[in-house]
Amino acid sequence: MPELPEVETTVKGIARVATGLTISEVWTDYNSLHYIGSETIKDPKYFAKFKKLITRRTIVGTSRRAKNVLIHLDNDQTILIHLKMTGHIMYGSYELNKKRALIERGGKDPWFAKDEGPLTDPFNKFIHLVFTFTNGKQLVLSDMRKFAKVTLINTNQLTLSEHLREAGPEPLSPLFTYEVFVERLNKKPEGKIKTTLMDQTLIAGVGNIYSDEILWRAGVHPEEKIKSIQKHNHIVLRHMYKALKETLQKGIDFGGDSMSDYRNIDGERGEFQEQHQAYRRTKKPCMKRGCKGTIVRKVVGGRSAHFCDTHQKAYKDTR
């Protein structure tokens, strides 16, 4: 799932290519009987309302909240897109070709990039939402598993909406001080640190990849409990706070993580996967200077955790 750095990279990309553009048409094939009655475009009735409200409207800005892309329109409406497991947003010239889709894709995913290049990457072909602009180009959502969420919210009601009101504070905000970090963790003293870092109601935007990298950098075992860290080595919380900020910023600096299918607005891969120290490096030597450990994998809270078996040792009374 795209995490804070991938979503932030996407938001900056949309701002670069689409600010000031006017939407002329909207298309989707997300329609699903399972979502009837939901306030998302997967309900055909809601999509009709969505389409009416955003057509002929101009994009005036973009922002991010937690793992959500927010596209602000000139009628005080905001399109919210949560990319979920496999979603990513791209911009370019596309064509709707049902005949070609029938031949090449069994009738599925009928939108094709017109020009050769990154947009034709196989991971970019699962297009299920298309915004066409008056300049003739498109902003598209590729989503292989069709899990993404798209809805429309009054801009002045964003923080109160059901989609955002439970989100924790933004870890890269200047307001997210060390004291705030500790206060958030202390809400779940019995929680395992990896699971706690990924709790979106406590801290926004951290997922499986970046939690592994943060804990590797801070030298913390993923199963360590918050209360145990405070009991044995309170200073490690400061290391973790620093690692949290630095790791997420590094993810943004490298354009996000494309270990899986994430791509940026131009259809290109990010480069953070080349910086991994722990995530999916099972059985490989630890790269921490002076450490002779090996990266191991263990399921923690239903998610895969990757960590060093040497410099990320758990305290004996918490195993």
Side-chain angles (χ1 to χ4, degrees), residues 118-253:
L119 294 179
T120 62
D121 180 323
F123 282 103
N124 295 336
K125 69 181 182 180
F126 305 99
I127 296 170
H128 300 296
L129 176 63
V130 178
F131 301 96
T132 297
F133 298 113
T134 53
N135 69 354
K137 292 194 175 183
Q138 287 81 22
L139 191 70
V140 306
L141 173 58
S142 178
D143 181 18
M144 181 173 65
R145 299 183 71 179
K146 298 184 76 171
F147 287 166
K149 176 177 68 177
V150 184
T151 191
L152 193 67
I153 306 170
N154 290 331
T155 303
N156 60 5
Q157 295 292 314
L158 279 172
T159 59
L160 301 176
S161 78
E162 63 178 302
H163 307 285
L164 298 178
R165 64 186 175 214
E166 299 297 328
E170 292 290 336
L172 293 183
S173 167
L175 299 177
F176 190 78
T177 62
Y178 171 70
E179 289 72 24
V180 172
F181 175 64
V182 173
E183 179 267 330
R184 303 308 291 179
L185 295 185
N186 281 341
K187 288 182 177 293
K188 291 194 174 179
E190 295 287 343
K192 295 177 181 179
I193 185 58
K194 177 176 171 71
T195 307
T196 303
L197 283 176
M198 294 171 60
D199 186 333
Q200 298 302 297
T201 67
L202 297 181
I203 301 172
V206 179
N208 210 30
I209 297 173
Y210 291 93
S211 59
D212 278 354
E213 296 301 309
I214 290 164
L215 295 175
W216 179 91
R217 183 175 288 208
V220 179
H221 193 283
E223 293 184 300
E224 208 66 76
K225 292 183 178 180
I226 307 302
K227 68 175 186 179
S228 178
I229 296 172
Q230 293 180 323
K231 173 184 176 181
H232 290 86
N233 189 358
H234 194 278
I235 194 66
V236 80
L237 288 174
R238 288 199 174 272
H239 295 321
M240 201 185 313
Y241 172 73
K242 185 171 183 285
L244 171 69
K245 295 263 189 180
E246 292 178 346
T247 303
L248 292 175
Q249 186 58 56
K250 188 174 182 180
I252 295 171
D253 292 343

Side-chain angles (χ1 to χ4, degrees), residues 108-119:
K108 298 180 179 179
D109 311 317
W111 286 86
F112 295 84
K114 290 183 179 180
D115 302 318
E116 290 297 321
L119 294 179

Side-chain angles (χ1 to χ4, degrees), residues 23 29 31-32 70-71 87 89 98 115 119 141 149 162 172 247-248 256 266-267 275 299 314:
I23 299 168
D29 66 351
N31 299 350
S32 171
L70 303 175
I71 303 174
I89 297 169
K98 294 182 179 180
D115 302 318
L119 294 179
L141 173 58
K149 176 177 68 177
E162 63 178 302
L172 293 183
T247 303
L248 292 175
D266 300 310
Q275 307 299 316
V299 175

Side-chain angles (χ1 to χ4, degrees), residues 33-148:
L33 293 175
H34 297 291
Y35 288 88
I36 297 297
S38 72
E39 292 196 350
T40 75
I41 65 167
K42 292 179 180 178
D43 176 1
K45 186 176 180 180
Y46 183 87
F47 176 69
K49 173 185 174 183
F50 175 89
K51 182 176 181 178
K52 182 177 180 180
L53 286 172
I54 73 168
T55 302
R56 296 183 297 279
R57 308 316 310 191
T58 299
I59 294 176
V60 296
T62 61
S63 61
R64 178 191 57 77
R65 181 67 175 102
K67 297 179 183 179
N68 298 280
V69 174
L70 303 175
I71 303 174
H72 309 296
L73 306 179
D74 65 352
N75 60 344
D76 297 321
Q77 296 288 314
T78 293
I79 301 168
L80 179 148
I81 304 175
H82 193 302
L83 301 171
K84 297 294 184 178
M85 292 295 294
T86 60
H88 55 277
I89 297 169
M90 299 169 294
Y91 175 81
S93 296
Y94 288 82
E95 64 176 348
L96 180 63
N97 192 325
K98 294 182 179 180
K99 183 176 181 180
R100 181 179 171 186
L102 184 63
I103 295 170
E104 296 183 15
R105 300 176 183 171
K108 298 180 179 179
D109 311 317
W111 286 86
F112 295 84
K114 290 183 179 180
D115 302 318
E116 290 297 321
L119 294 179
T120 62
D121 180 323
F123 282 103
N124 295 336
K125 69 181 182 180
F126 305 99
I127 296 170
H128 300 296
L129 176 63
V130 178
F131 301 96
T132 297
F133 298 113
T134 53
N135 69 354
K137 292 194 175 183
Q138 287 81 22
L139 191 70
V140 306
L141 173 58
S142 178
D143 181 18
M144 181 173 65
R145 299 183 71 179
K146 298 184 76 171
F147 287 166

